[in-house]
Amino acid sequence: MANAASPRTTDRTPGDGYVQSFARGLEVIRSFSQDAPHQTLTEVAGRSGLSRAGARRILLTLQALGYVKLDGKLFSLSPRILDLGFAYLSSMPIWNLAEPVMETLVEQVRESCSAAVLDGTDIVYVLRVPTHKIMSISLGVGSRLPAYCTSMGRMLLSSLPPDELATVLAASTLAARTRHTVTDVKELTARIAQVRRQGWSLVNQELEEGVVSMAAPIVNRAGQMVAALNISGQANRTSARTMQETMLPHLLAATQSVSRMLGGQPV
């Protein structure tokens, strides 16, 4: 799931080393999504904010490099684009370490488990071990969700200094995705502070009706929170209280195990 409306970072001020043509190429790649997998030249230009001529040059370059395919008048990404994401995943040993731990956790709690990192106002899924499909949203590696209303997002936001957290929340589109979604900045800040104090996060039906999610941190040798791990379930099958009472110990044990593998001390 791509979220084209969400900002990728909270600071987009170009520096002296900013390469505009490269940035435009990335915007063209980002213009493709689950909602727009095949696009005309005009559509790519519109979604990436470029002129038709500029979008055409970039698309033809990506096609020559094997990252884009052209079928008649429709452009689409090729499987080779996965090399870009795999380069990140393969450069981070944490994901190889985390996957078997997550699989064990799923066996213990019988709920889906995911890992994500913070990117601006969003979380990005980097690993997922599903059990049942519990959300209308199709999630996989690379999926983006808003940090403010997700358990992993609040967990990761809790690691930010107060001024940086305020900047991220100010840049976020705080929409009420359900009747339970907290959109007040003051209340969100208080809840994130509570997450920081207790060392785990629980979000009850704020992202999607009927979905309860709980997250805990993964820390590295330097004591930095590098990712969050969560378990998600259906409220009509597992209440928030039941999840906290019966599954939180397993979740914390899993994140502590991965943190120790990275040389970090559990928080």
Side-chain angles (χ1 to χ4, degrees), residues 6 15 42 63 73 85 87 98 120 125 140 202 205 213 224 228 239:
S6 297
T42 300
Q63 183 185 15
K73 294 184 177 181
Y125 279 67
L202 191 149
Q205 304 184 74
S213 181
Q224 300 168 324
S239 69

Side-chain angles (χ1 to χ4, degrees), residues 1-245:
M1 172 187 173
N3 187 352
S6 297
R8 287 339 192 243
T9 66
T10 56
D11 183 6
R12 287 174 174 255
T13 304
D16 292 339
Y18 188 81
V19 182
Q20 189 175 60
S21 59
F22 182 71
R24 288 173 175 170
L26 292 177
E27 288 302 322
V28 167
I29 292 173
R30 291 194 185 108
S31 74
F32 294 92
S33 68
Q34 180 177 317
D35 298 326
H38 307 282
Q39 300 182 77
T40 64
L41 172 59
T42 300
E43 289 170 335
V44 171
R47 288 173 63 87
S48 58
L50 301 175
S51 67
R52 278 174 51 90
R56 181 177 180 276
R57 287 194 298 272
I58 292 172
L59 284 168
L60 293 180
T61 299
L62 291 170
Q63 183 185 15
L65 295 173
Y67 292 112
V68 164
K69 298 185 295 184
L70 176 61
D71 184 6
K73 294 184 177 181
L74 293 177
F75 292 92
S76 61
L77 298 179
S78 77
R80 189 171 187 180
I81 204 74
L82 294 173
D83 291 347
L84 303 179
F86 182 73
Y88 166 74
L89 293 174
S90 62
S91 69
M92 300 284 286
I94 177 178
W95 314 127
N96 291 330
L97 298 172
E99 188 167 16
V101 176
M102 292 169 62
E103 290 172 347
T104 299
L105 178 60
V106 167
E107 291 176 0
Q108 292 171 332
V109 301
R110 303 297 181 187
E111 299 288 4
S112 299
C113 179
S114 304
V117 296
L118 186 66
D119 183 24
T121 62
D122 294 339
I123 58 169
V124 181
Y125 279 67
V126 292
L127 203 56
R128 182 163 170 78
V129 181
T131 51
H132 312 286
K133 180 174 174 57
I134 63 171
M135 300 179 68
S136 61
I137 301 169
S138 179
L139 293 175
V141 173
S143 294
R144 306 178 74 94
L145 289 175
Y148 75 94
C149 61
T150 55
S151 62
M152 288 190 288
R154 289 187 188 168
M155 189 73 257
L156 292 162
L157 290 174
S158 74
S159 69
L160 301 180
D163 57 341
E164 191 172 344
L165 172 60
T167 299
V168 172
L169 292 180
S172 301
T173 303
L174 303 179
R177 299 177 67 105
T178 75
R179 57 194 173 93
H180 305 285
T181 310
V182 176
T183 58
D184 179 74
V185 172
K186 185 176 180 180
E187 176 64 18
L188 278 170
T189 302
R191 294 200 180 198
I192 291 168
Q194 180 182 356
V195 167
R196 185 182 301 112
R197 290 191 298 269
Q198 68 191 17
W200 53 273
S201 169
L202 191 149
V203 170
N204 187 3
Q205 304 184 74
E206 292 191 45
L207 175 68
E208 184 169 323
E209 292 282 354
V211 176
V212 183
S213 181
M214 189 163 51
I218 296 174
V219 299
N220 63 13
R221 187 184 300 273
Q224 300 168 324
M225 193 184 305
V226 295
L229 208 64
N230 88 335
I231 49 178
S232 299
Q234 292 178 319
N236 61 2
R237 188 179 68 237
T238 307
S239 69
R241 174 171 291 187
T242 299
M243 180 176 283
Q244 180 180 336
E245 292 175 348

